[in-house]
Amino acid sequence: MECYERVMKALRHEKPDRPPLNYIATPEMNEKLKKYLGIENQNELLEYLGVDIRYVTPKYVGPKEFIGVQGAKGAGKDFWGVEWKPVTNKFGTYNEIAYHPLAQAKTVKDIEEYSWPKVDWFDMSHLKEEIKRINAKERKVIMFFAGGAFESAWYMRGLERFLIDLVERPEIAVTISKKVTEFYFKRAMRAVEESGGQIDIFYSGGDIGTQKGMMLSPDLWRKYIKPQTKQLITPFKEMGFKTFYHSCGSIVPVIEDFIEMGLDILDPIQPKAEGMDINFLKNKFGDRLSFHGAIDEQELLPMGKPEEVKRVVIKTIDILGKNGGYIVCSSHALQPDIPVENVLAMFSAAREYKY
């Protein structure tokens, strides 16, 4: 079965030949895997692992004062004006925010007068040919990042200040969220046009959950953030694309809201987060929603043994993949402290699983 057919069959809640696979990892983990396997090319690595999904991205061509996309390697300001600073531990380097450009804004007017990025800062003329190359031998599922209404907004304002705004000055938070969403939606629509409709899944996201529950009350989210979140899901669903949303942590109270908005795939399903039990999720939402992730990256992958990883992967597929509706992936980007053997065990267990 081809990659595209395998994924789409699963998303129709039918049984493919095996569960679809996706791969997300830090740069350090990428290099660690390639070195271990003697592979130089990233696509070779994805083919070796049996990954069914590929990502395409726009090229930043905007002002040189910005480094481009948020979290890009190296210090500097992304296209929103958020400044990132690399922080290194013994395993790898991560980018942390060092400056929030709207932290001192006092009024809605201050927000509106900010120098907001332009869609023309991103070139997408390559998308059609790039997707054609990706699909040359076998059709893959193509994903494009549609943006997020929450995270990019608080990156600009500061998390604590943004959450306080939602209570004390909601017009400030909503204005930032609307501006961010307007940009992302226009950019995603440009991708629809430039790709010739060849993108299969538009994914959006923004962490609204923590280990113990939601980062903000469900009512606040519904009132002030949901309308913008919907703008990055519903229109794409109505255009016939599949939709995908990423939020770490526990977000049980609003999963019904996402289904109502037209969400097809929920990611990353952190099984250690309160309420995100896979049996519960499949029983309550599994006939209306597909799941992506769920292979624990907090304890299992970094600290387990390959045999244990295989057992958990098989059990997870048995539950979340019953009658389709599941794409196997780690519950977050694979971190560089994970043994290579555990990563290979995860992928081999999924590849060998037969419905």
Side-chain angles (χ1 to χ4, degrees), residues 160-308:
E160 183 177 359
R161 183 69 260 169
F162 189 83
L163 293 176
I164 291 172
D165 286 340
L166 287 171
V167 176
E168 296 183 347
R169 298 288 304 279
E171 68 278 7
I172 295 284
V174 169
T175 301
I176 300 172
S177 182
K178 283 183 175 179
K179 285 284 191 181
V180 165
T181 302
E182 178 184 1
F183 169 85
Y184 275 136
F185 180 72
K186 287 181 179 178
R187 191 178 73 167
M189 289 304 296
R190 181 77 61 87
V192 171
E193 179 183 350
E194 293 284 357
S195 68
Q198 296 180 89
I199 294 167
D200 302 302
I201 302 175
F202 279 87
Y203 75 102
S204 56
D207 295 343
I208 55 175
T210 72
Q211 195 74 11
K212 295 296 184 181
M214 287 187 62
M215 193 181 298
L216 67 167
S217 80
D219 288 342
L220 274 180
W221 177 83
R222 289 187 184 103
K223 187 173 183 180
Y224 298 123
I225 304 299
K226 180 180 175 180
Q228 288 76 252
T229 300
K230 182 177 181 179
Q231 184 65 17
L232 297 174
I233 297 174
T234 307
F236 300 101
K237 176 73 170 181
E238 291 174 345
M239 283 184 270
F241 300 105
K242 296 298 183 183
T243 59
F244 176 114
Y245 188 89
H246 165 92
S247 174
C248 291
S250 177
I251 63 166
V252 175
V254 298
I255 291 177
E256 287 284 359
D257 295 80
F258 280 101
I259 294 171
E260 172 210 314
M261 286 188 273
L263 186 68
D264 292 302
I265 309 159
L266 182 64
D267 168 78
I269 317 301
Q270 288 181 253
K272 297 290 183 182
E274 192 169 299
M276 300 297 283
D277 174 75
I278 60 174
N279 280 287
F280 165 76
L281 293 174
K282 185 67 174 182
N283 289 334
K284 188 168 180 63
F285 307 110
D287 59 335
R288 298 168 292 153
L289 191 64
S290 294
F291 303 100
H292 176 281
I295 308 303
D296 176 43
E297 201 279 325
Q298 291 178 278
E299 295 178 7
L300 174 69
L301 288 172
M303 292 179 271
K305 299 296 183 184
E307 298 76 18
E308 182 185 4

Side-chain angles (χ1 to χ4, degrees), residues 83 90 273:
E83 189 169 340
K90 65 178 181 178

Side-chain angles (χ1 to χ4, degrees), residues 105-119:
K106 304 294 184 187
T107 66
V108 168
K109 185 179 179 182
D110 291 340
I111 305 301
E112 291 175 339
E113 291 181 347
Y114 180 72
S115 182
W116 291 92
K118 296 176 173 57
V119 174

